[in-house]
């Protein structure tokens, strides 16, 4: 197919192929700190570190872009300190692309400690209860100082479910905040600011939000308000309600999704970028993400299991260590066990996306999904697939 390319600002996106079976997109995103192929999964490094793993380890698993959390870095160590260090890339020794969220998700996750107003959001510091205030302007200023390649508009991430009336008012406010964020953005030639589509489960509001944001001409678009308590079926509808109204020549980012089946379904529905804390969070509790589903390696059934976490995985963990050894480490509260499972889980998702990209280019993504899900759903015992 003819390449579709967006060449505006610090970020460019090339749509290089669409799968004939599904319409899924294979492309490339170019940023000031390098390029990456899409679809892609992005590891989350909330406090300028992907928990338990070094930047060098992330490079060995071919991670191409990671995330950092604006709200948490705003509180510690502070955006000014990161700026003085030369920005996040220098501060954390990661010289590939970085994306920062806006703090908008904390409007949802800290709902018991915040009050939403037109000007912004009053928070209570989750650590000590001290009063805080975040506005679109403050969020963008913090992200300008952090210096990520891709930054996010400040938005409200509403809970699920809410009424249509509540969601309409929320979407309108988020659109006003998006416009304010655009005006406040001090580094538009160095950092690409994405708009965030909201609208909950309501098709008309998803369309309305997307169309209004497209009129503002952001370099890319995120789909927010997913993974907040809705069913998988509802989440898939949210995506379907949104992507038809987003431009083909700009990247599409689904926020907070990291289960293997959800990644495949998101790609089929036109998504290019994903992130989630899931792989490292469940790893710290002894759960491995594998080609046959979830392996709770802390279970006693693995006490004498001298096989790798996943027989089909080529990662460092699976090539060198057994379930029995990893279980021993986890039961002994040794951090090396958490590191080994975290490495495997991230490798698993990053490699899954590589296989998805290959399937798109071969026009065989539906075939790939069928083969993957047959094994993922059925060939496991005593486990729950993600």
């Amino acid at each position: 197919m003819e390449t579709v390319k967006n060449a505006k600002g610090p970020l460019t996106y090339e749509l290089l192929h669409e799968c004939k079976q599904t319409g899924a997109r294979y492309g490339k995103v170019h940023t000031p700190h390098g390029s990456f192929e899409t679809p892609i999964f992005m590891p989350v490094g909330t406090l300028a570190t992907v928990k338990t793993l070094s930047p060098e380890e992330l490079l060995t698993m071919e991670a191409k872009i990671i995330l950092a959390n604006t709200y948490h870095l705003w509180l510690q160590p502070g955006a000014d300190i990161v700026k003085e260090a030369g920005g996040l890339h220098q501060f954390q020794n990661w010289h590939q692309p970085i994306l920062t969220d806006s703090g908008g998700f904390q409007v949802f996750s800290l709902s018991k400690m915040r009050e939403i107003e037109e000007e912004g959001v009053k928070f209570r510091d989750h650590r000590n209860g001290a009063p805080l205030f975040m506005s679109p302007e403050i969020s963008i200023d913090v992200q300008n100082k952090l210096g990520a390649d891709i930054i996010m508009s400040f938005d409200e991430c509403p809970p699920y479910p809410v009424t249509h009336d509540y969601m309409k008012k929320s979407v309108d406010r988020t659109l006003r905040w998006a416009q304010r964020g655009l005006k406040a953005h001090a580094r538009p030639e160095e950092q690409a600011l994405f708009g965030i589509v909201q609208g909950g489960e309501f098709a008309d509001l998803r369309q309305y939000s997307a169309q209004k944001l497209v009129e503002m001409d952001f370099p890319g678009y995120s789909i927010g308000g997913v993974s907040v308590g809705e069913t998988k079926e509802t989440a898939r509808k949210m995506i379907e309600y949104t992507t038809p109204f987003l431009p083909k020549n700009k990247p599409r980012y689904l926020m907070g999704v990291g289960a293997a089946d959800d990644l495949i379904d998101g790609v089929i529905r036109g998504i290019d970028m994903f992130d989630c804390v899931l792989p490292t969070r469940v790893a710290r509790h002894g759960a491995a993400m594998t080609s046959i589903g979830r392996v709770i390696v802390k279970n006693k059934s693995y006490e004498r299991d001298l096989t790798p976490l996943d027989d089909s995985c080529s990662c460092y963990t699976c090539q060198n260590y057994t379930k029995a050894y990893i279980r021993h480490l986890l039961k002994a509260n040794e951090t090396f066990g958490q590191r080994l499972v975290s490495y495997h889980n991230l490798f698993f998702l990053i490699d899954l996306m590589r296989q998805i990209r290959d399937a798109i280019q071969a026009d065989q993504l539906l075939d790939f999904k069928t083969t993957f899900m047959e094994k993922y759903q059925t060939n496991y015992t005593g486990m729950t697939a993600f």
Side-chain angles (χ1 to χ4, degrees):
M1 64 173 290
E2 182 180 353
T3 298
V4 178
K5 186 172 182 179
N6 164 43
K8 181 181 179 182
L11 179 146
T12 60
Y13 171 74
E14 294 180 87
L15 174 56
L16 299 173
H17 188 78
E18 290 180 290
C19 175
K20 291 182 173 62
Q21 283 187 337
T22 63
R25 296 149 51 97
Y26 166 73
K28 289 186 179 179
V29 173
H30 307 281
T31 81
H33 286 87
S35 303
F36 53 86
E37 297 174 283
T38 60
I40 192 169
F41 179 80
M42 305 179 287
V44 176
T46 300
L47 283 161
T49 179
V50 177
K51 288 189 186 299
T52 77
L53 299 175
S54 70
E56 292 76 16
E57 288 171 318
L58 294 171
L59 289 174
T60 64
M61 65 178 75
E62 298 190 6
K64 299 296 184 182
I65 174 173
I66 61 175
L67 272 68
N69 184 286
T70 295
Y71 170 84
H72 290 287
L73 291 172
W74 176 47
L75 299 185
Q76 182 187 323
D80 288 333
I81 291 176
V82 175
K83 181 180 179 181
E84 288 172 19
L88 279 174
H89 298 88
Q90 288 295 122
F91 189 58
Q92 67 182 99
N93 192 35
W94 176 261
H95 302 288
Q96 308 290 319
I98 298 175
L99 183 152
T100 46
D101 65 7
S102 66
F105 183 73
Q106 278 65 46
V107 179
F108 165 76
S109 63
L110 301 178
S111 59
K112 295 181 180 179
M113 306 175 68
R114 58 91 174 124
E115 181 181 344
I116 302 173
E117 301 176 348
E118 179 62 28
E119 185 59 26
V121 180
K122 293 180 179 178
F123 288 97
R124 288 285 178 180
D125 190 322
H126 67 283
R127 303 168 302 174
N128 55 29
L132 301 167
F133 179 74
M134 177 76 81
S135 68
E137 291 80 9
I138 293 172
S139 172
I140 297 300
D141 178 62
V142 171
Q143 292 184 83
N144 285 161
K145 290 174 179 175
L146 295 177
D149 302 87
I150 302 172
I151 66 177
M152 293 293 123
S153 298
F154 188 62
D155 65 326
E156 179 192 358
C157 178
Y160 175 87
V162 296
T163 65
H164 188 279
D165 181 63
Y166 179 98
M167 187 60 73
K168 176 62 164 62
K169 292 176 181 176
S170 173
V171 167
D172 280 334
R173 181 171 52 241
T174 285
L175 290 171
R176 293 191 293 271
W177 286 357
Q179 191 67 59
R180 285 166 56 187
L182 273 173
K183 292 179 180 178
H185 188 14
R187 303 177 65 184
E189 300 306 315
E190 302 166 276
Q191 298 175 287
L193 173 60
F194 280 25
I196 302 179
V197 179
Q198 292 288 355
E201 62 185 308
F202 304 106
D204 61 325
L205 295 181
R206 286 281 173 183
Q207 177 180 344
Y208 168 71
S209 177
Q211 289 177 329
K212 289 297 182 182
L213 288 170
V214 170
E215 290 175 8
M216 299 182 200
D217 196 24
F218 286 91
Y221 297 92
S222 303
I223 299 175
V226 180
S227 297
V228 293
E230 77 285 354
T231 65
K232 286 180 181 286
E233 181 182 0
T234 299
R236 288 166 186 149
K237 288 181 179 178
M238 289 176 176
I239 303 169
E240 292 167 1
Y241 294 156
T242 306
T243 51
F245 303 101
L246 298 177
K248 291 185 68 172
N249 67 335
K250 295 182 180 181
R252 305 163 178 175
Y253 162 32
L254 182 62
M255 308 176 79
V257 170
D261 57 331
D262 293 337
L263 295 177
I264 297 171
D265 285 336
V267 169
I268 288 172
R269 287 161 176 80
I271 300 300
D272 306 305
M273 301 163 61
F274 302 83
D275 83 286
C276 195
V277 298
L278 181 69
T280 49
R281 176 172 290 170
V282 300
R284 296 193 300 277
H285 296 284
M289 304 173 77
T290 79
S291 58
I292 60 171
R294 181 187 299 191
V295 172
I296 309 300
V297 72
K298 288 179 74 172
N299 284 354
K300 187 173 178 58
S301 58
Y302 299 112
E303 187 175 27
R304 289 179 167 82
D305 191 329
L306 301 180
T307 64
L309 293 175
D310 189 339
D311 290 331
S312 63
C313 180
S314 62
C315 80
Y316 168 82
T317 299
C318 290
Q319 294 301 304
N320 292 282
Y321 299 100
T322 65
K323 295 189 190 79
Y325 178 65
I326 294 170
R327 179 183 184 274
H328 155 67
L329 294 176
L330 293 168
K331 296 292 286 185
N333 293 318
E334 289 288 346
T335 55
F336 187 45
Q338 297 180 10
R339 282 170 36 76
L340 288 174
V341 184
S342 294
Y343 188 101
H344 164 79
N345 285 356
L346 284 176
F347 182 98
F348 172 75
L349 292 185
I350 289 169
D351 190 63
L352 172 64
M353 301 309 286
R354 177 193 59 77
Q355 295 176 64
I356 288 172
R357 292 193 298 268
D358 290 346
I360 291 172
Q361 294 176 82
D363 297 311
Q364 295 176 346
L365 186 55
L366 275 185
D367 298 334
F368 173 82
K369 178 185 177 181
T370 298
T371 301
F372 179 87
M373 293 305 298
E374 284 174 354
K375 185 179 179 183
Y376 187 76
Q377 289 183 317
T378 61
N379 293 343
Y380 60 88
T381 303
M383 297 176 286
T384 301
F386 285 108

